[in-house]
Amino acid sequence: MSGPGPHARAWRVTLAGLCATLVGIGLARFAYTPLLPVLITEGWFPAAQAAYLGAANLAGYLGGALGARPLARRGGAPRVLRGMMALVTVAFFACALPLSFAWFFLWRFAAGAAGGALMVLAAPTVLPHVPPTRRGLAGGAIFTGVGLGIMASGTLVPLLLQAGLALTWCGLGVLSLLLTALAWGGWPAAESPPPPGAPRRAPAAVPLLALYVAYALNATGLVPHMVFLVDFVARGLGQGIHVGAHYWVLFGLGAVVGPMLAGALADRIGFGPALRLALVIQAAAVALPTVTADPLWLAVSSLVVGAAVPGVVPLVLGRVHELVPGDAEGQRAAWSVTTMAFALGQAAGAYGLSFLFASGRPYTTLFAVGAAALTLGLVIDLAARLAGRKPI
């Protein structure tokens, strides 16, 4: 009896990749946002410590991104991917026990490290097993897991909290365990070798370096919405937390559809043009709150930027494959660097914009800085294209 056909195998590994981003980023990172105030009000941790626990996940993410490739070289990417998903699952159950701040910090850091490793390894492990003409769509499907996690943070977690904080952590652990089991047998047994006779070309050095910088600036440009959108509506516009939460739901809806739309667009026009178009659209959407507080336009801004948070990821990954052709190891190395660039750009943006906000600058200044960062990223990418004299 013959095994499944190539298309069935392609979507099986794609499903594994989606589960990995849902567990490692969607749940391990974004589920903490609605849990943060409950940790404080239930007396598990003071406000300052609870905030540091959130930062522990981001610090772990950077560490995981740095260590993912060395781990994969020693143990194989599929084995590491399974282990990292299992680590997130264990971390959820461990957080159901409020033993100490150090205990929680350790497991939040571990969950972040697992998320960083999953982000670095999942897509490069999957995409070589997908036909080239479908890689944009497959990449979009993989990173839909991030959007699903954002949606879960606003829907599933509040429902679980009705049963108590400890059981909420356990519920997340059960969900993570189910997703880990679903993905377990989907990872490819071995890396796909390059096609016979396919020549390796040197990577496009200038455009690749520009991509790193543009992706970091892209991360900075998304921070105003990711951090300040709800507060801008609730307090800045005086409309209250419930209205602000409605815009966060729209943000989450955009995050669910964004990766698939971006991937489908890239399959039609190419990853380079799709990424440049995405930068233009993001800059306009981030700038909208600086010129209007009309609910319709704020809803558009929330949807578009929400779609961009995970949607830009498959575009950048596909662009890496274009700029590092025929070299799977080089592609993985470049993707690791882009992941770290995004993490650094996001952290720098969060601290920098928080400083501006604490200094008394208005919300509109924060959105203007974000739009400027995205515009600068576009300019750098266009300049590198001309300097590198590479086709799009």
Side-chain angles (χ1 to χ4, degrees):
M1 181 180 296
S2 61
H7 290 291
R9 287 195 299 271
W11 284 110
R12 184 71 182 90
V13 297
T14 300
L15 176 61
L18 184 154
C19 291
T21 61
L22 175 52
V23 168
I25 307 298
L27 294 179
R29 177 184 297 180
F30 286 104
Y32 187 78
T33 301
L35 289 172
L36 176 61
V38 185
L39 287 170
I40 299 168
T41 58
E42 292 292 318
W44 281 31
F45 298 101
Q49 288 188 350
Y52 278 119
L53 292 172
N57 186 265
L58 295 177
Y61 180 85
L62 182 57
L66 286 168
R69 290 183 61 244
L71 284 174
R73 281 196 295 266
R74 300 182 70 174
R79 183 177 299 174
V80 174
L81 287 161
R82 294 185 183 105
M84 292 299 110
M85 293 184 73
L87 179 58
V88 174
T89 301
V90 173
F92 278 132
F93 285 111
C95 287
L97 302 171
L99 299 180
S100 68
F101 173 77
W103 171 267
F104 245 75
F105 190 96
L106 169 66
W107 288 108
R108 292 301 299 156
F109 184 93
L118 290 167
M119 180 61 82
V120 168
L121 296 177
T125 300
V126 167
L127 292 182
H129 299 266
V130 176
T133 57
R134 310 300 291 173
R135 284 178 184 168
L137 189 61
I142 291 169
F143 295 109
T144 298
V146 179
L148 292 173
I150 295 174
M151 287 294 293
S153 73
T155 54
L156 176 62
V157 170
L159 291 174
L160 290 172
L161 282 170
Q162 296 178 13
L165 190 52
L167 288 178
T168 298
W169 285 109
C170 290
L172 291 170
V174 170
L175 178 57
S176 179
L177 178 62
L178 293 174
L179 291 167
T180 300
L182 180 61
W184 196 270
W187 299 112
E191 296 178 357
S192 180
R200 288 189 177 186
R201 291 178 288 165
V206 173
L208 189 59
L209 179 60
L211 180 65
Y212 299 151
V213 178
Y215 197 35
L217 289 168
N218 198 142
T220 300
L222 295 172
V223 167
H225 276 68
M226 293 176 65
V227 177
F228 298 103
L229 173 65
V230 175
D231 195 50
F232 167 63
V233 173
R235 297 194 304 125
L237 300 180
Q239 297 181 10
I241 187 63
H242 293 293
V243 176
H246 292 160
Y247 287 99
W248 187 250
V249 172
L250 290 174
F251 187 94
L253 287 173
V256 171
V257 301
M260 295 292 287
L261 291 177
L265 176 65
D267 282 336
R268 287 182 174 271
I269 68 174
F271 287 99
L275 179 58
R276 294 178 197 114
L277 179 60
L279 287 167
V280 172
I281 294 173
Q282 287 178 84
V286 172
L288 271 176
T290 69
V291 296
T292 180
D294 182 83
L296 175 61
W297 289 114
L298 287 181
V300 170
S301 178
S302 301
L303 274 168
V304 171
V305 179
V309 169
V312 73
V313 183
L315 299 182
V316 172
L317 177 60
R319 188 63 177 146
V320 165
H321 280 242
E322 288 181 343
L323 297 175
V324 190
D327 183 359
E329 180 60 23
Q331 291 167 356
R332 284 189 287 269
W335 176 239
S336 179
V337 175
T338 55
T339 301
M340 288 182 281
F342 188 92
L344 290 171
Q346 183 175 250
Y351 282 109
L353 292 176
S354 295
F355 174 79
L356 290 176
F357 186 65
S359 300
R361 300 298 177 90
Y363 290 96
T364 50
T365 299
L366 310 181
F367 292 107
V369 171
L374 288 157
T375 303
L376 180 58
L378 175 64
V379 170
I380 290 173
D381 184 82
L382 290 172
R385 178 193 166 197
L386 294 176
R389 299 171 183 254
K390 294 288 184 181
I392 63 173

